[in-house]
């Protein structure tokens, strides 16, 4: 693939400045100035063709089903893009005074309120720019809460099935991680938890539903064990899609949570971001939320910076506002019924896929799933691996599932169809998965060398890591 | 309005195959006492037309102003090429490029972004973007700790105050010590920095151009630190300046970080932003977030892939370099398309911005509004007027956001306004502002 640097043609330009007569004054001393910059010169048409060609080498949700478990890649309504690009939002300077940015503040205030009503939390901040950022802020809130109580708790418990961000966030806030085992049926091992519990434990972080795609049937017992020891219960909200409208997070016993706004509330992820990771808390933890918060008095919205117990500021401004506009638009269009239907159909689609696939593939934990489920590589013939299957599924026009996660399932394939896939699409996916299994029997090399129909062949990731080339100039 | 393409008949058939009698039957693992059967208290669902109308009304609820303010967020022209290309759904509806064979678009563009940011900042490694400038600075500080194990940081008060607040939050959580250096004359004095250095100092952090718009003598500060283990972190919030000024890396910065929103991204009420983090080669394996590397595919074609993932949270878990997984991929793509379109003419754009700021400064001087500092500047500078708050508010009514009032963050800078110019502040707009400002001053 050519890069933009390979089509550099000095002398050609894709742009020119306006020809205003602006005098040269206040020249910057020479010692601060460079002698020109080294960026490629490419005409506009070739810039357009280059990136158009690149786009054709990409797979997005608009290209086909993207069953990436735990990432919730649902269809993103196009109206969201329109509303987020309205010039009253897109060109609004963040230091515009509150009185002149009422529309934006209303969006943030109302969205925070909707999230409270969906989850049961008392207050949300929309400052975190990603799920992991909200999670980090959440662990900071836990730390501040115990600092305020003058309790030196050192440990946070995390199930062995958790996302890697959980332990990483905990570590970034100076806590120690202790791993809680899961039972054979995929719930937290409550006996082990009881044994591990002591007054050093500040909190437990749990994804609910969990990363095996299951609703932990002991959730209320877990919450009670924590409460009895004065510890907090943190919900990783990555899987909110499965329960919203069906169960409130606070009713499960959680004290705080983050939401991956881009997942459940349908804002496209742009090849890696931007996302948004609102953090919600119960009344008791509200004083510790990052500043500023959007508040209102007599119908006038304002940014409240006067928060003495706050962990402090965590973003340059107020988080990923334009992402929030998309989520706001989506929630307003769905309303109460729509929100509940999202969960019901996400869970229906996942159970349907699971039922159809478990006759051919190994399903290590066979019980009703929520919006995703995990297969293992057990029984796949001729040493065909999970990675091989992931590559082969690309040839059938689907994105691959999440692979090798959660870590406690051997050769995991985590499949999440979401509610926006039709039955016909699900059936095509099942047929492709079945055909791949037949191929594994008949012609394993076909799979081990896959993909074959994608823009490029299987990528050598090992050499990339051993001899890193991280920019064009290093490659030359 | 719903986006679920499943008919009632399909639903019934699927339920039958699964072996449950109702949609609610799928949720049998949720304990009865917490299962919610009522409605969520949300406003009534809207059709697409109603949602469009509602959001247009909310958008109009924000006053459209002629903006002469920056402070870390800049209104620049976004060429339609950027919108058209970044709005191709193959780009914006993709996820993190975990499967490189179907993600070469994102991966190649990010590789190009890494290269261009290295060239502009004068460094060897840039990651695939961070949340925003403030968190990029915090991650830079943590990366510095991984490099030299020192947890004491000396930071100029002329670094964006909001960035310093975020650093202080991250610093508190990570037990870092943060010592602030004054910047009395609009720039940070070398002597003031030197007075605060000791063997425990992990990094000196300055911003250039700094929050007052002044260009710092990065080379002199780097010189002071050379031969020590103390890192120099340079923050850049107006990245266009790097097209005109010597790069921080070439002047001796170990880490260059900041905000690249100004490249092709709307200002969007401050988000999404585009944090960037660039550094010398020795930081490669200590850098947080995603990195794209070059390799080959099975047919020996060039290919790009997420690499060095053993640093990351999904592999190293609590031993990871940071918890970051989501970045600002689409914002980085926009920046990349912008930089590709302008190419070496980006420097002309920087010169234009600088000259327009110069024009604004001279025009304001003519009506008696004078600069506070005389340090060289790029496209922002500070002026003082009597009753600045009142004047600023009066100009809101005339449709201007004329600067940022500094006294809230800098009590000794009473009545001072931080003004900025970009190519969107054309000469006639500058003249118009001067007339309206003069009228406010005399009324």
């Amino acid at each position: 693939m050519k890069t933009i640097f390979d089509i550099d043609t000095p002398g050609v330009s894709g742009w020119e400045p306006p020809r205003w007569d602006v005098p040269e004054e206040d020249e910057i001393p020479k010692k601060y100035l460079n002698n020109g910059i080294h960026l490629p010169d490419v005409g506009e048409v070739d810039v357009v063709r280059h990136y158009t060609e690149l786009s054709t080498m990409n797979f997005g949700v608009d290209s086909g089903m993207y069953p990436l478990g735990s990432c919730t890649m649902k269809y993103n309504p196009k109206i969201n893009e329109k509303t987020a690009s309205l010039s009253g939002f897109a060109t609004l300077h963040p230091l515009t005074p509150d009185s002149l940015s009422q529309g934006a503040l209303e969006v943030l205030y109302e969205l925070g309120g909707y999230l409270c009503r969906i989850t049961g939390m008392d207050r949300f901040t929309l400052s975190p720019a990603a799920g992991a950022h909200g999670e980090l802020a959440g662990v900071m809130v836990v730390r501040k809460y115990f600092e305020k109580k003058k309790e030196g708790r050192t440990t946070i418990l995390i199930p062995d099935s958790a996302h890697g961000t959980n332990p990483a966030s905990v570590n970034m806030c100076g806590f120690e991680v202790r791993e809680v085992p899961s039972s054979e049926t995929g719930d937290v091992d409550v006996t082990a938890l009881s044994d591990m519990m002591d007054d050093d434990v500040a909190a437990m972080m749990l994804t609910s539903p969990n990363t095996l795609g299951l609703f932990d049937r002991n959730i209320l017992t877990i919450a009670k064990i924590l409460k009895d020891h004065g510890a907090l219960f943190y919900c990783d909200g990555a899987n909110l899609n499965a329960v919203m409208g069906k169960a409130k997070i606070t009713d499960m016993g959680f004290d705080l949570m983050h939401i991956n706004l881009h997942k459940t509330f349908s804002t496209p992820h742009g090849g890696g971001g931007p996302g948004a990771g609102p953090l919600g808390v119960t009344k008791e933890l509200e004083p510790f939320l990052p500043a500023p918060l959007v508040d209102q008095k007599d119908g006038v919205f304002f940014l409240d910076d006067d928060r003495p117990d706050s962990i402090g500021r965590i973003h340059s401004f107020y988080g990923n506002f334009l992402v929030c506009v998309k989520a706001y638009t989506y929630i307003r269009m769905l309303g109460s019924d729509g929100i509940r239907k999202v969960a019901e159909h996400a869970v229906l689609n996942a159970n349907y896929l699971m039922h159809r696939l478990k006759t051919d593939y190994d399903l290590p934990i066979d019980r009703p799933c929520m919006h995703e489920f995990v297969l293992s590589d057990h029984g796949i013939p001729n040493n065909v691996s999970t990675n091989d299957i992931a590559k082969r599924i690309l040839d059938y026009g689907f994105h691959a599932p999440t692979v090798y996660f959660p870590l406690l399932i051997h050769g995991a394939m985590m499949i999440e169809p979401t509610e926006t896939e039709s039955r016909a699409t699900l059936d095509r996916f099942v047929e492709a998965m079945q055909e791949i299994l037949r191929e594994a029997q008949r012609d394993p090399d076909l799979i081990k060398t896959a993909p074959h129909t994608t823009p490029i062949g299987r990528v050598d990731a090992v050499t990339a890591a051993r001899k890193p080339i991280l920019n064009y100039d290093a490659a030359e | 309005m719903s986006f679920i393409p499943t008919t009632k008949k399909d639903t019934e058939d699927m339920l039958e195959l699964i072996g449950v009698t109702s949609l609610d039957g799928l949720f049998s693992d949720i304990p009865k006492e917490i299962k919610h059967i009522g409605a969520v208290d949300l406003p009534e669902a809207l059709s697409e037309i109603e949602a469009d109308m509602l959001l247009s009304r909310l958008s109009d609820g924000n006053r459209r102003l002629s903006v002469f303010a920056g402070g870390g967020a800049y209104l620049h022209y976004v060429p339609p090429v950027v919108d058209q290309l970044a709005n191709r759904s193959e780009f914006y509806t993709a996820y993190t490029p975990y499967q490189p064979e179907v993600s070469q678009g994102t991966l190649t563009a990010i590789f190009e972004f890494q290269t261009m940011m290295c060239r502009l900042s004068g460094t060897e490694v840039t990651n695939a973007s961070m949340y925003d400038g403030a968190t990029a600075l915090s991650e830079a500080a943590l990366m510095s700790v991984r490099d030299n194990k020192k947890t004491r940081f000396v930071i100029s008060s002329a670094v964006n105050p909001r960035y310093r607040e975020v650093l202080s939050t991250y610093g508190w959580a990570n037990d870092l010590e943060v010592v602030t250096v004054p910047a009395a004359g609009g720039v940070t004095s070398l002597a003031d920095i030197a007075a605060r250095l000791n063997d425990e100092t992990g990094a000196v952090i300055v911003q250039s151009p700094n929050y007052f718009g002044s260009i710092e003598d990065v080379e002199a500060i780097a010189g002071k630190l050379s031969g020590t283990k103390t890192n120099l972190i340079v923050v850049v919030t107006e990245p266009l300046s790097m097209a005109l000024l010597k790069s921080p890396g070439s002047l001796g910065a170990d880490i260059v970080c900041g905000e690249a929103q100004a490249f092709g991204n709307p200002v969007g009420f401050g988000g999404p932003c585009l944090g960037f983090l660039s550094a010398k080669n020795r930081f490669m394996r200590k850098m947080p977030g995603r990195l794209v590397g070059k390799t080959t595919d099975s047919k020996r074609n060039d290919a790009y892939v997420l690499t060095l993932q053993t640093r990351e949270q999904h592999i190293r878990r609590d031993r990871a370099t940071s918890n970051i997984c989501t970045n600002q991929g689409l914002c980085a793509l926009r920046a990349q398309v912008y930089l590709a379109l302008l190419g070496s003419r980006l420097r002309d754009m920087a010169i234009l911005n600088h000259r327009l700021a110069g024009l604004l400064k001279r025009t304001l001087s003519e009506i008696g509004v004078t600069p506070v500092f005389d340090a060289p500047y790029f496209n922002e500078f500070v002026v003082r007027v009597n009753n600045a708050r009142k004047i600023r508010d009066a100009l809101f009514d005339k449709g201007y956001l004329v600067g940022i009032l500094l006294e809230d963050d800098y009590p000794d800078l009473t009545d001072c306004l931080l003004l900025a110019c970009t190519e969107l502040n054309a000469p006639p707009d500058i003249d118009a502002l001067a007339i309206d400002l003069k009228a406010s001053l005399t009324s």
Side-chain angles (χ1 to χ4, degrees), chain B residues 12-294:
Chain B
E12 284 162 7
D13 291 351
M14 290 161 80
L15 285 171
E16 194 184 332
L17 180 110
I18 297 162
V20 295
T21 51
S22 68
L23 283 168
D24 191 56
L26 296 164
F27 294 82
S28 57
D29 277 352
I30 301 182
K32 268 199 280 307
E33 53 268 54
I34 62 171
K35 190 146 67 170
H36 200 67
I37 43 168
V40 183
D41 180 20
L42 290 174
E44 205 174 323
L46 301 178
S47 64
E48 185 173 277
I49 294 172
E50 291 167 302
D52 199 340
M53 288 173 172
L54 169 69
L55 271 293
S56 295
R57 200 158 64 238
L58 287 164
S59 163
D60 291 342
N62 304 307
R63 183 75 188 277
R64 297 294 302 277
L65 297 167
S66 176
V67 175
F68 287 87
Y74 301 91
L75 272 90
H76 284 287
Y77 181 71
V78 178
V81 167
V82 174
D83 283 326
Q84 292 271 328
L85 292 171
N87 289 350
R88 288 185 66 91
S89 72
E90 299 90 339
F91 282 131
Y92 80 80
T93 74
Y95 198 68
T96 306
Y98 290 130
Q99 296 291 338
E101 295 82 4
V102 288
S103 311
Q104 286 299 300
T106 295
L107 289 162
T108 309
I110 296 291
F111 183 79
E112 294 175 351
F113 170 79
Q114 290 175 179
T115 303
M116 291 212 195
M117 292 308 288
C118 282
R119 288 184 182 179
L120 289 172
S121 64
T123 57
E124 290 147 337
V125 192
T126 296
N127 74 9
S129 78
M130 314 288 287
Y131 307 140
D132 70 342
T135 55
L137 169 59
S138 300
E139 293 283 354
L142 295 174
M143 185 166 84
S144 173
V145 174
R146 287 191 287 279
D147 179 55
N148 59 20
K149 313 283 179 263
K150 295 174 191 285
T151 55
R152 180 176 183 273
F153 290 83
V154 172
I155 187 167
S156 162
S157 71
V159 173
N160 186 313
R162 282 168 296 282
Y163 287 29
R164 283 185 285 128
E165 285 177 43
V166 173
L167 177 66
S168 140
T169 306
Y170 275 67
W172 157 76
N174 288 279
D175 300 310
L176 308 182
E177 184 192 352
V178 182
V179 179
T180 308
V181 186
V187 288
T188 324
S189 99
L190 192 55
D192 286 342
I193 291 175
R196 285 161 182 81
L197 289 177
N198 63 23
D199 287 348
E200 303 311 309
T201 309
V204 169
I205 303 168
V206 295
Q207 177 178 324
S208 186
N210 67 25
Y211 193 63
F212 308 126
S214 311
I215 299 167
E216 297 274 7
D217 194 343
V218 172
E219 193 167 22
I221 300 166
K224 181 77 205 163
L225 299 179
S226 86
T228 71
K229 283 196 165 174
T230 304
N231 287 318
L232 176 60
I233 300 177
V234 175
V235 182
V236 180
T237 66
E238 171 52 289
L240 187 57
S241 67
M242 293 193 292
L244 183 60
L245 305 179
K246 276 185 186 155
S247 66
S250 72
L251 297 174
D254 298 284
I255 303 172
V256 185
C257 62
E259 178 56 60
Q261 167 269 323
F263 291 155
N265 280 276
V267 73
F269 202 43
C273 298
L274 173 57
F276 74 93
L277 180 58
S278 305
K280 294 190 166 157
N281 232 345
R282 71 170 191 275
F283 292 93
M284 182 195 291
R285 288 168 201 276
K286 302 180 179 102
M287 189 173 258
R290 302 287 155 100
L291 291 167
V292 173
K294 186 179 180 183

Side-chain angles (χ1 to χ4, degrees), chain A residues 65-74 161-164 207 209-213 236 238-241 260 263 269 346 350 353 370-375 399-406 412-418 429, chain B residues 95-96 98-99 314 325:
Chain A
M65 180 171 156
Y66 218 121
L68 201 58
S70 230
C71 297
T72 309
M73 292 296 285
K74 61 171 75 173
S161 63
H163 294 115
T207 307
N210 71 23
T211 49
L212 292 158
D236 178 325
N239 293 341
L240 181 63
N241 207 47
N260 304 70
K263 298 180 181 178
H269 206 45
L353 267 191
M370 299 304 281
H371 64 315
E372 58 195 1
F373 59 97
V374 186
L375 302 174
H399 194 274
T402 293
V403 291
Y404 301 106
F405 179 81
M413 287 174 264
M414 185 186 215
I415 299 171
E416 177 177 4
T418 82
F429 181 75
Chain B
Y95 198 68
T96 306
Y98 290 130
Q99 296 291 338
H314 57 283
C325 48

Side-chain angles (χ1 to χ4, degrees), chain A residues 244-246 335-345, chain B residues 27 36-40:
Chain A
M244 61 174 181
K246 301 301 285 185
S336 173
D337 272 2
I339 289 284
R340 195 187 63 246
K341 273 191 193 151
V342 162
E344 287 176 344
H345 282 270
Chain B
F27 294 82
H36 200 67
I37 43 168
V40 183

Side-chain angles (χ1 to χ4, degrees), chain A residues 3-5 13 15 20 22-26 31-34 36-38 40-41 44 50-52 54-55 57-62 66 68 71 73 77-78 82 87-90 92-93 95 97 100-101 103-104 106 114 117 130 132-133 140 143 147 162 164-165 169 171-173 242 246 251 268-273 311-316 319-322 332-334 336 345 349 355 367 391 400 420 423 451 455-460 464-465 469-473, chain B residues 1 3 5 10-11 13-14 18 24 27 29 34 36 39-41 43 45-46 52 54 58-59 61-64 69-70 73 81 85 88-95 97 99 101-106 111-112 114-115 119 124 131-132 134-135 162-163 165-166 169-170 172-175 217 243-246 266-272 292-298 304-305 307 313 317-318 323 326-330 336 343-345 347 349 354-355 362 377 396 404 423:
Chain A
T3 65
I4 196 79
F5 308 104
S13 176
W15 186 80
W20 297 325
V22 188
E24 300 175 31
E25 284 200 40
D26 286 320
K31 73 165 190 163
Y32 293 124
L33 295 176
N34 64 34
I37 50 168
H38 183 203
D41 288 313
E44 178 167 327
H50 174 66
Y51 291 103
T52 300
L54 286 187
S55 77
M57 303 175 82
N58 242 18
F59 189 101
V61 177
D62 285 7
Y66 218 121
L68 201 58
C71 297
M73 292 296 285
K78 299 303 171 195
K82 182 178 177 190
S87 71
F89 295 135
L92 183 61
H93 193 280
L95 298 176
L100 304 181
S101 48
E106 182 173 346
Y114 302 154
R117 289 179 230 168
H133 196 208
M140 287 177 181
R143 181 169 162 154
E147 255 185 36
T165 55
S169 298
N171 186 257
M172 284 176 78
C173 294
K246 301 301 285 185
D251 288 348
H269 206 45
I311 57 166
R313 181 181 279 275
I314 56 158
H315 188 269
S316 305
N320 285 346
F321 170 72
L322 296 179
R332 289 302 303 257
M333 290 178 73
L334 257 49
S336 173
H345 282 270
N349 282 0
H355 265 80
R367 47 177 271 216
K391 296 305 178 193
T420 59
R423 184 186 180 183
I456 62 165
R458 195 180 291 201
V459 165
D460 178 4
I469 299 170
L470 303 182
N471 73 59
Y472 184 84
D473 304 320
Chain B
M1 183 97 189
F3 302 94
D10 279 339
T11 304
D13 291 351
M14 290 161 80
I18 297 162
D24 191 56
F27 294 82
D29 277 352
I34 62 171
H36 200 67
V40 183
D41 180 20
L46 301 178
D52 199 340
L54 169 69
L58 287 164
S59 163
N62 304 307
R63 183 75 188 277
R64 297 294 302 277
V81 167
L85 292 171
R88 288 185 66 91
S89 72
E90 299 90 339
F91 282 131
Y92 80 80
T93 74
Y95 198 68
Q99 296 291 338
E101 295 82 4
V102 288
S103 311
Q104 286 299 300
T106 295
F111 183 79
E112 294 175 351
Q114 290 175 179
T115 303
R119 288 184 182 179
E124 290 147 337
Y131 307 140
D132 70 342
T135 55
R162 282 168 296 282
Y163 287 29
E165 285 177 43
V166 173
T169 306
Y170 275 67
W172 157 76
N174 288 279
D175 300 310
D217 194 343
L244 183 60
L245 305 179
K246 276 185 186 155
V267 73
F269 202 43
V292 173
K294 186 179 180 183
T295 185
T296 50
D297 75 351
S298 50
Y304 301 91
V305 64
T307 194
Q313 35 72 33
R317 297 176 79 83
D318 59 323
N323 70 341
T326 286
N327 56 17
Q328 306 287 111
L330 191 68
Q336 178 52 32
S344 60
R345 304 298 290 272
R347 196 167 189 272
M349 178 72 108
H354 172 62
R355 288 189 184 160
R362 185 167 58 94
Y377 61 94
F396 287 143
I404 297 161
E423 70 283 359

Side-chain angles (χ1 to χ4, degrees), chain B residues 343-389:
Chain B
S344 60
R345 304 298 290 272
L346 186 73
R347 196 167 189 272
D348 297 338
M349 178 72 108
I351 291 168
L352 176 65
N353 273 249
H354 172 62
R355 288 189 184 160
L356 285 166
L359 178 64
L360 175 67
K361 194 170 161 184
R362 185 167 58 94
T363 310
L364 294 184
S365 291
E366 283 164 9
I367 59 164
V369 175
T370 52
V372 175
F373 306 120
D374 57 8
Y377 61 94
F378 173 61
N379 69 347
E380 273 179 295
F381 57 89
V382 177
V383 297
R384 181 175 270 132
V385 290
N386 289 332
N387 301 314
R389 191 180 296 270

